[in-house]
Amino acid sequence: MAQQQLQAEMQAGQQPLPLHVAIIMDGNGRWAKARKLPRYMGHRAGVKAVRRIVEACRQRGIQALTLFAFSSENWRRPKVEVGLLMDLFVRTLKKEVSRLDRNNVRIQFIGDRTAFNPKLHAMMDAAEQQTTNNDGLTLVIAANYGGRWDLVEATRRLAARAVAGELSVDEIDSEMLGRELCNANLPEPDLFIRTGGEQRISNYLLWQLAYTELYFTDLLWPEFDAAAFDEALNSFASRQRRFGKTGDQVEQSRRA
Ligand code: IPE
Ligand code: IPE
Ligand code: MG
């Protein structure tokens, strides 16, 4: 599906645009440290960057944006930082959900939300419900998400169905497993962006990133703005996605 849209855009002479962008928003702590501020201030500045990039996605007509807000490994951080991140999460939801709703943004969360306190958990459910009929940008927030967790949960569900006799083991294929994973309602990410200079996946969407174009920038997340986002989009547009084929084959089907 993503491939078809890219082809249509290229034939129309437009720059191919990713349908779905997935971002690891990294570098908040270092941004704050460089300014002799507490790390928490970096996270607050990070929320502003989220606003900018959500707006940029809406303006450019991107269908889906998945943001890594808190990984299943981030619980290993000092208790104080985790607590402050949770407070910021709650405050940001209170402040932003109505505006996002008015802007026709559909909010979804991926990750194990049972680990959050009941108030936050309820706010996440409510934000999803409130925006469920919006058909503009789909904004997915990965919170207490881990790619391995995602795969284990999906495997468990399929195994349970097999044990219950609803499914034979031979029927399990990659489409079926993919349908059990988070974000199964969205096209797989076309473009992955990680800010903050590290070049790693950090247990993000492990399965879903199989054919995603990867883009890394040294900019710290609070510095990331619409111009920097456009640079990533330009890099994406300049790439040839081959999906296992040869470059000549891709060229031929583009011209056909
Ligand atoms: C990303 O920024 C935000 C979260 C993980 C919540 P970091 O907090 O990881 O920032 P650095 O990597 O320490 O600079
Ligand atoms: C990944 O960033 C998770 C989020 C941005 C939420 P980290 O800063 O936690 O990743 P590592 O630990 O450097 O790999
Ligand atoms: Mg980091």
Side-chain angles (χ1 to χ4, degrees):
M1 178 182 162
Q3 231 179 331
Q4 278 163 5
Q5 152 138 2
L6 290 180
Q7 278 169 11
E9 280 169 343
M10 282 160 81
Q11 274 159 11
Q14 294 163 354
Q15 174 159 302
L17 194 68
L19 292 177
H20 182 180
V21 180
I23 304 184
I24 297 187
M25 312 182 287
D26 197 18
N28 293 350
R30 279 163 286 165
W31 182 90
K33 198 171 176 189
R35 284 161 183 75
K36 302 208 167 24
L37 295 168
R39 290 179 58 87
Y40 170 70
M41 295 300 282
H43 298 312
R44 268 180 50 171
V47 173
K48 290 190 185 154
V50 170
R51 268 192 226 119
R52 289 197 295 267
I53 299 311
V54 166
E55 194 45 38
C57 285
R58 290 184 53 236
Q59 282 173 5
R60 286 154 189 71
I62 286 166
Q63 282 182 18
L65 172 67
T66 299
L67 299 175
F68 210 176
F70 192 86
S71 77
S72 45
E73 288 72 33
N74 286 145
W75 298 107
R76 296 174 187 159
R77 293 190 176 199
K79 251 198 163 115
V80 178
E81 178 165 346
V82 171
L84 289 169
L85 278 167
M86 295 300 145
D87 290 348
L88 184 63
F89 204 11
V90 169
R91 273 192 288 126
T92 305
L93 281 180
K94 270 194 192 145
K95 221 166 121 183
E96 303 290 335
V97 170
S98 308
R99 200 161 54 96
L100 290 166
D101 187 23
R102 280 198 303 279
N103 287 334
N104 198 23
V105 175
R106 179 174 185 183
I107 303 171
Q108 294 180 340
F109 295 94
I110 57 171
D112 182 5
R113 66 185 83 176
T114 61
F116 295 125
N117 82 39
K119 184 178 153 200
L120 178 52
H121 188 156
M123 285 178 80
M124 293 163 82
D125 293 347
E128 285 184 340
Q129 270 166 28
Q130 185 180 339
T131 62
T132 188
N133 293 319
N134 293 345
D135 58 5
L137 174 72
T138 299
L139 173 62
V140 183
I141 307 290
N144 193 23
Y145 176 85
R148 289 180 176 174
W149 166 84
D150 196 359
L151 282 158
V152 169
E153 287 296 301
T155 306
R156 280 187 180 160
R157 281 194 294 274
L158 291 180
R161 279 167 54 198
V163 168
E166 296 163 15
L167 182 72
S168 87
V169 169
D170 297 341
E171 283 175 80
I172 299 174
D173 59 11
S174 78
E175 277 75 35
M176 188 182 285
L177 183 53
R179 280 197 299 273
E180 291 296 322
L181 293 168
C182 292
N183 277 355
N185 61 321
L186 300 172
E188 284 176 359
D190 304 292
L191 173 64
F192 160 97
I193 300 172
R194 182 173 187 143
T195 61
E198 314 296 348
Q199 304 201 354
R200 56 178 172 254
I201 301 291
S202 299
N203 198 18
Y204 202 23
L205 304 153
L206 296 178
W207 173 282
Q208 297 86 337
L209 293 175
Y211 265 103
T212 305
E213 295 297 325
L214 307 180
Y215 180 88
F216 299 94
T217 169
D218 289 336
L219 285 175
L220 303 170
W221 177 248
E223 300 169 331
F224 198 71
D225 59 11
F229 187 55
D230 282 339
E231 266 184 54
L233 295 179
N234 287 338
S235 168
F236 173 79
S238 72
R239 301 182 190 190
Q240 185 188 51
R241 301 185 77 188
R242 291 194 277 273
F243 299 97
K245 296 182 183 172
T246 68
D248 287 347
Q249 283 177 302
V250 175
E251 269 299 306
Q252 267 164 23
S253 63
R254 194 171 73 81
R255 278 194 242 104

